[in-house]
Short mmCIF file of all heavy atoms in Angstrom, two decimals:
data_model
loop_
_atom_site.label_atom_id
_atom_site.label_comp_id
_atom_site.label_asym_id
_atom_site.label_seq_id
_atom_site.Cartn_x
_atom_site.Cartn_y
_atom_site.Cartn_z
N ASP A 17 -30.77 -81.75 -176.30
CA ASP A 17 -30.81 -82.88 -175.35
C ASP A 17 -30.81 -84.18 -176.15
O ASP A 17 -31.73 -84.44 -176.92
CB ASP A 17 -32.06 -82.77 -174.48
CG ASP A 17 -32.10 -83.77 -173.33
OD1 ASP A 17 -31.45 -84.83 -173.43
OD2 ASP A 17 -32.79 -83.48 -172.35
N ARG A 18 -29.78 -85.00 -175.94
CA ARG A 18 -29.70 -86.27 -176.68
C ARG A 18 -30.38 -87.41 -175.94
O ARG A 18 -30.66 -88.44 -176.52
CB ARG A 18 -28.23 -86.62 -176.97
CG ARG A 18 -27.62 -85.62 -177.96
CD ARG A 18 -26.21 -85.96 -178.30
NE ARG A 18 -25.38 -85.80 -177.11
CZ ARG A 18 -24.12 -86.20 -177.03
NH1 ARG A 18 -23.54 -86.78 -178.05
NH2 ARG A 18 -23.44 -86.02 -175.93
N LEU A 19 -30.67 -87.22 -174.65
CA LEU A 19 -31.37 -88.26 -173.89
C LEU A 19 -32.87 -88.21 -174.19
O LEU A 19 -33.51 -89.24 -174.41
CB LEU A 19 -31.12 -88.08 -172.40
CG LEU A 19 -31.72 -89.15 -171.49
CD1 LEU A 19 -31.16 -90.53 -171.82
CD2 LEU A 19 -31.45 -88.82 -170.03
N PHE A 20 -33.43 -87.00 -174.18
CA PHE A 20 -34.84 -86.79 -174.52
C PHE A 20 -34.90 -85.80 -175.68
O PHE A 20 -34.97 -84.59 -175.47
CB PHE A 20 -35.62 -86.24 -173.32
CG PHE A 20 -35.66 -87.18 -172.15
CD1 PHE A 20 -34.90 -86.94 -171.03
CD2 PHE A 20 -36.46 -88.31 -172.19
CE1 PHE A 20 -34.93 -87.81 -169.94
CE2 PHE A 20 -36.50 -89.19 -171.12
CZ PHE A 20 -35.72 -88.94 -170.00
N PRO A 21 -34.86 -86.30 -176.93
CA PRO A 21 -34.80 -85.41 -178.09
C PRO A 21 -35.98 -84.44 -178.16
O PRO A 21 -37.11 -84.76 -177.78
CB PRO A 21 -34.82 -86.38 -179.28
CG PRO A 21 -34.34 -87.68 -178.71
CD PRO A 21 -34.83 -87.71 -177.29
N ALA A 22 -35.71 -83.26 -178.68
CA ALA A 22 -36.70 -82.19 -178.76
C ALA A 22 -38.01 -82.61 -179.44
O ALA A 22 -39.09 -82.33 -178.91
CB ALA A 22 -36.09 -80.97 -179.44
N PRO A 23 -37.99 -83.29 -180.59
CA PRO A 23 -39.26 -83.67 -181.21
C PRO A 23 -40.12 -84.56 -180.30
O PRO A 23 -41.34 -84.39 -180.22
CB PRO A 23 -38.84 -84.42 -182.48
CG PRO A 23 -37.48 -83.88 -182.80
CD PRO A 23 -36.84 -83.63 -181.46
N PHE A 24 -39.46 -85.49 -179.61
CA PHE A 24 -40.17 -86.36 -178.67
C PHE A 24 -40.80 -85.55 -177.55
O PHE A 24 -41.98 -85.71 -177.22
CB PHE A 24 -39.20 -87.41 -178.11
CG PHE A 24 -39.74 -88.17 -176.93
CD1 PHE A 24 -40.71 -89.15 -177.10
CD2 PHE A 24 -39.28 -87.90 -175.65
CE1 PHE A 24 -41.22 -89.84 -176.01
CE2 PHE A 24 -39.78 -88.60 -174.55
CZ PHE A 24 -40.75 -89.57 -174.73
N LEU A 25 -40.01 -84.65 -176.94
CA LEU A 25 -40.53 -83.86 -175.82
C LEU A 25 -41.64 -82.91 -176.24
O LEU A 25 -42.59 -82.69 -175.50
CB LEU A 25 -39.40 -83.10 -175.14
CG LEU A 25 -38.49 -83.95 -174.27
CD1 LEU A 25 -37.38 -83.10 -173.69
CD2 LEU A 25 -39.27 -84.64 -173.16
N ARG A 26 -41.53 -82.33 -177.44
CA ARG A 26 -42.61 -81.45 -177.90
C ARG A 26 -43.93 -82.20 -177.94
O ARG A 26 -44.98 -81.69 -177.54
CB ARG A 26 -42.28 -80.89 -179.28
CG ARG A 26 -41.23 -79.82 -179.27
CD ARG A 26 -41.00 -79.23 -180.67
NE ARG A 26 -39.79 -78.44 -180.66
CZ ARG A 26 -38.64 -78.80 -181.25
NH1 ARG A 26 -38.56 -79.94 -181.93
NH2 ARG A 26 -37.60 -78.02 -181.17
N THR A 27 -43.89 -83.42 -178.43
CA THR A 27 -45.11 -84.24 -178.50
C THR A 27 -45.62 -84.59 -177.11
O THR A 27 -46.81 -84.44 -176.83
CB THR A 27 -44.82 -85.54 -179.29
OG1 THR A 27 -44.40 -85.19 -180.60
CG2 THR A 27 -46.05 -86.43 -179.35
N VAL A 28 -44.74 -85.04 -176.23
CA VAL A 28 -45.14 -85.42 -174.88
C VAL A 28 -45.74 -84.24 -174.12
O VAL A 28 -46.78 -84.35 -173.47
CB VAL A 28 -43.95 -86.03 -174.10
CG1 VAL A 28 -44.27 -86.20 -172.63
CG2 VAL A 28 -43.55 -87.37 -174.71
N VAL A 29 -45.08 -83.09 -174.21
CA VAL A 29 -45.57 -81.90 -173.49
C VAL A 29 -46.93 -81.48 -174.01
O VAL A 29 -47.83 -81.15 -173.23
CB VAL A 29 -44.54 -80.75 -173.59
CG1 VAL A 29 -45.11 -79.45 -173.06
CG2 VAL A 29 -43.27 -81.12 -172.86
N THR A 30 -47.10 -81.50 -175.31
CA THR A 30 -48.40 -81.13 -175.88
C THR A 30 -49.48 -82.10 -175.47
O THR A 30 -50.56 -81.69 -175.04
CB THR A 30 -48.29 -81.07 -177.42
OG1 THR A 30 -47.28 -80.11 -177.77
CG2 THR A 30 -49.61 -80.67 -178.04
N GLU A 31 -49.21 -83.39 -175.57
CA GLU A 31 -50.22 -84.41 -175.25
C GLU A 31 -50.53 -84.49 -173.75
O GLU A 31 -51.68 -84.62 -173.37
CB GLU A 31 -49.76 -85.78 -175.74
CG GLU A 31 -49.76 -85.91 -177.24
CD GLU A 31 -49.23 -87.25 -177.73
OE1 GLU A 31 -48.77 -88.07 -176.90
OE2 GLU A 31 -49.25 -87.46 -178.96
N ARG A 32 -49.52 -84.43 -172.91
CA ARG A 32 -49.73 -84.64 -171.48
C ARG A 32 -50.03 -83.37 -170.69
O ARG A 32 -50.75 -83.41 -169.70
CB ARG A 32 -48.54 -85.36 -170.87
CG ARG A 32 -48.38 -86.75 -171.44
CD ARG A 32 -47.31 -87.51 -170.74
NE ARG A 32 -47.10 -88.80 -171.40
CZ ARG A 32 -46.24 -89.70 -170.99
NH1 ARG A 32 -45.51 -89.47 -169.93
NH2 ARG A 32 -46.12 -90.84 -171.63
N LEU A 33 -49.44 -82.26 -171.11
CA LEU A 33 -49.65 -81.02 -170.37
C LEU A 33 -50.57 -80.05 -171.10
O LEU A 33 -51.00 -79.05 -170.53
CB LEU A 33 -48.31 -80.32 -170.09
CG LEU A 33 -47.30 -81.10 -169.25
CD1 LEU A 33 -46.00 -80.30 -169.13
CD2 LEU A 33 -47.88 -81.42 -167.89
N GLY A 34 -50.82 -80.33 -172.39
CA GLY A 34 -51.64 -79.41 -173.17
C GLY A 34 -50.97 -78.07 -173.34
O GLY A 34 -51.64 -77.04 -173.39
N ALA A 35 -49.65 -78.06 -173.42
CA ALA A 35 -48.90 -76.82 -173.50
C ALA A 35 -47.85 -76.89 -174.60
O ALA A 35 -47.50 -77.96 -175.07
CB ALA A 35 -48.21 -76.56 -172.17
N VAL A 36 -47.37 -75.73 -174.98
CA VAL A 36 -46.24 -75.64 -175.90
C VAL A 36 -45.02 -75.35 -175.04
O VAL A 36 -45.03 -74.41 -174.24
CB VAL A 36 -46.46 -74.50 -176.91
CG1 VAL A 36 -45.24 -74.30 -177.79
CG2 VAL A 36 -47.70 -74.77 -177.75
N PRO A 37 -43.97 -76.17 -175.15
CA PRO A 37 -42.81 -75.95 -174.28
C PRO A 37 -42.05 -74.68 -174.64
O PRO A 37 -42.02 -74.27 -175.80
CB PRO A 37 -41.94 -77.18 -174.53
CG PRO A 37 -42.36 -77.68 -175.87
CD PRO A 37 -43.80 -77.31 -176.04
N ASP A 38 -41.47 -74.05 -173.64
CA ASP A 38 -40.48 -73.00 -173.88
C ASP A 38 -39.23 -73.73 -174.32
O ASP A 38 -38.99 -74.85 -173.88
CB ASP A 38 -40.20 -72.21 -172.61
CG ASP A 38 -41.38 -71.37 -172.17
OD1 ASP A 38 -42.21 -71.01 -173.03
OD2 ASP A 38 -41.47 -71.07 -170.98
N GLU A 39 -38.42 -73.09 -175.14
CA GLU A 39 -37.21 -73.76 -175.64
C GLU A 39 -35.99 -72.87 -175.46
O GLU A 39 -36.08 -71.66 -175.50
CB GLU A 39 -37.37 -74.13 -177.11
CG GLU A 39 -38.50 -75.11 -177.35
CD GLU A 39 -38.53 -75.68 -178.76
OE1 GLU A 39 -37.49 -75.62 -179.46
OE2 GLU A 39 -39.58 -76.19 -179.15
N MET A 40 -34.86 -73.54 -175.25
CA MET A 40 -33.58 -72.85 -175.20
C MET A 40 -32.51 -73.78 -175.77
O MET A 40 -32.72 -74.98 -175.90
CB MET A 40 -33.22 -72.43 -173.77
CG MET A 40 -32.97 -73.57 -172.80
SD MET A 40 -32.56 -73.01 -171.14
CE MET A 40 -30.77 -73.04 -171.22
N GLU A 41 -31.38 -73.22 -176.11
CA GLU A 41 -30.25 -74.03 -176.56
C GLU A 41 -29.70 -74.79 -175.36
O GLU A 41 -29.87 -74.39 -174.22
CB GLU A 41 -29.16 -73.13 -177.15
CG GLU A 41 -29.60 -72.36 -178.39
CD GLU A 41 -30.09 -73.26 -179.51
OE1 GLU A 41 -29.42 -74.25 -179.83
OE2 GLU A 41 -31.17 -72.97 -180.06
N GLY A 42 -29.06 -75.90 -175.63
CA GLY A 42 -28.43 -76.65 -174.57
C GLY A 42 -28.81 -78.11 -174.59
O GLY A 42 -29.73 -78.52 -175.30
N GLY A 43 -28.08 -78.88 -173.80
CA GLY A 43 -28.28 -80.31 -173.73
C GLY A 43 -29.02 -80.71 -172.47
O GLY A 43 -29.76 -79.92 -171.88
N HIS A 44 -28.79 -81.94 -172.03
CA HIS A 44 -29.55 -82.52 -170.92
C HIS A 44 -29.28 -81.86 -169.57
O HIS A 44 -30.11 -81.93 -168.67
CB HIS A 44 -29.24 -84.02 -170.85
CG HIS A 44 -30.15 -84.78 -169.95
ND1 HIS A 44 -31.48 -84.96 -170.24
CD2 HIS A 44 -29.94 -85.40 -168.77
CE1 HIS A 44 -32.05 -85.66 -169.27
NE2 HIS A 44 -31.14 -85.94 -168.36
N PHE A 45 -28.13 -81.21 -169.41
CA PHE A 45 -27.78 -80.56 -168.15
C PHE A 45 -27.54 -79.06 -168.36
O PHE A 45 -26.40 -78.59 -168.26
CB PHE A 45 -26.52 -81.20 -167.54
CG PHE A 45 -26.74 -82.59 -167.05
CD1 PHE A 45 -26.27 -83.67 -167.77
CD2 PHE A 45 -27.42 -82.83 -165.86
CE1 PHE A 45 -26.48 -84.98 -167.32
CE2 PHE A 45 -27.63 -84.12 -165.40
CZ PHE A 45 -27.16 -85.19 -166.13
N PRO A 46 -28.58 -78.29 -168.61
CA PRO A 46 -28.37 -76.86 -168.86
C PRO A 46 -27.78 -76.14 -167.64
O PRO A 46 -27.16 -75.10 -167.78
CB PRO A 46 -29.77 -76.34 -169.19
CG PRO A 46 -30.70 -77.30 -168.51
CD PRO A 46 -30.01 -78.64 -168.60
N MET A 47 -27.93 -76.72 -166.46
CA MET A 47 -27.35 -76.10 -165.26
C MET A 47 -25.83 -76.13 -165.32
O MET A 47 -25.18 -75.35 -164.63
CB MET A 47 -27.88 -76.77 -163.98
CG MET A 47 -27.44 -78.21 -163.81
SD MET A 47 -28.21 -79.36 -164.95
CE MET A 47 -29.55 -79.99 -164.03
N LEU A 48 -25.27 -77.00 -166.15
CA LEU A 48 -23.82 -77.03 -166.32
C LEU A 48 -23.38 -76.30 -167.58
O LEU A 48 -22.38 -75.59 -167.57
CB LEU A 48 -23.32 -78.48 -166.39
CG LEU A 48 -23.54 -79.34 -165.16
CD1 LEU A 48 -23.02 -80.74 -165.40
CD2 LEU A 48 -22.88 -78.72 -163.95
N SER A 49 -24.12 -76.46 -168.68
CA SER A 49 -23.69 -75.87 -169.95
C SER A 49 -24.16 -74.44 -170.15
O SER A 49 -23.52 -73.67 -170.85
CB SER A 49 -24.17 -76.73 -171.12
OG SER A 49 -25.58 -76.77 -171.17
N ARG A 50 -25.28 -74.06 -169.55
CA ARG A 50 -25.85 -72.73 -169.73
C ARG A 50 -26.46 -72.21 -168.43
O ARG A 50 -27.64 -71.88 -168.38
CB ARG A 50 -26.90 -72.76 -170.83
CG ARG A 50 -26.33 -73.14 -172.18
CD ARG A 50 -27.40 -73.13 -173.26
NE ARG A 50 -26.83 -73.25 -174.56
CZ ARG A 50 -26.34 -72.25 -175.27
NH1 ARG A 50 -26.34 -71.05 -174.80
NH2 ARG A 50 -25.84 -72.46 -176.47
N PRO A 51 -25.66 -72.16 -167.37
CA PRO A 51 -26.23 -71.80 -166.07
C PRO A 51 -26.84 -70.40 -166.01
O PRO A 51 -27.89 -70.22 -165.40
CB PRO A 51 -25.05 -71.93 -165.11
CG PRO A 51 -23.83 -71.83 -165.97
CD PRO A 51 -24.23 -72.41 -167.30
N ALA A 52 -26.22 -69.42 -166.64
CA ALA A 52 -26.77 -68.06 -166.59
C ALA A 52 -28.11 -67.98 -167.31
O ALA A 52 -29.07 -67.38 -166.80
CB ALA A 52 -25.77 -67.07 -167.18
#
């Protein structure tokens, strides 16, 4: 994701949700690039 880079989101998710994000390949619109 080039709009919300992975390092930024990892920090935000950890700080705000107290969780470790699940991760997958793909960009900002996985519903288009990796729908299955």
Side-chain angles (χ1 to χ4, degrees):
D17 189 334
R18 293 182 294 170
L19 184 60
F20 296 106
F24 168 74
L25 285 178
R26 285 184 193 107
T27 300
V28 170
V29 171
T30 301
E31 290 176 356
R32 296 187 185 181
L33 299 177
V36 175
D38 291 335
E39 298 190 20
M40 66 180 265
E41 297 302 313
H44 192 67
F45 291 104
M47 66 290 264
L48 298 179
S49 63
R50 297 181 170 276

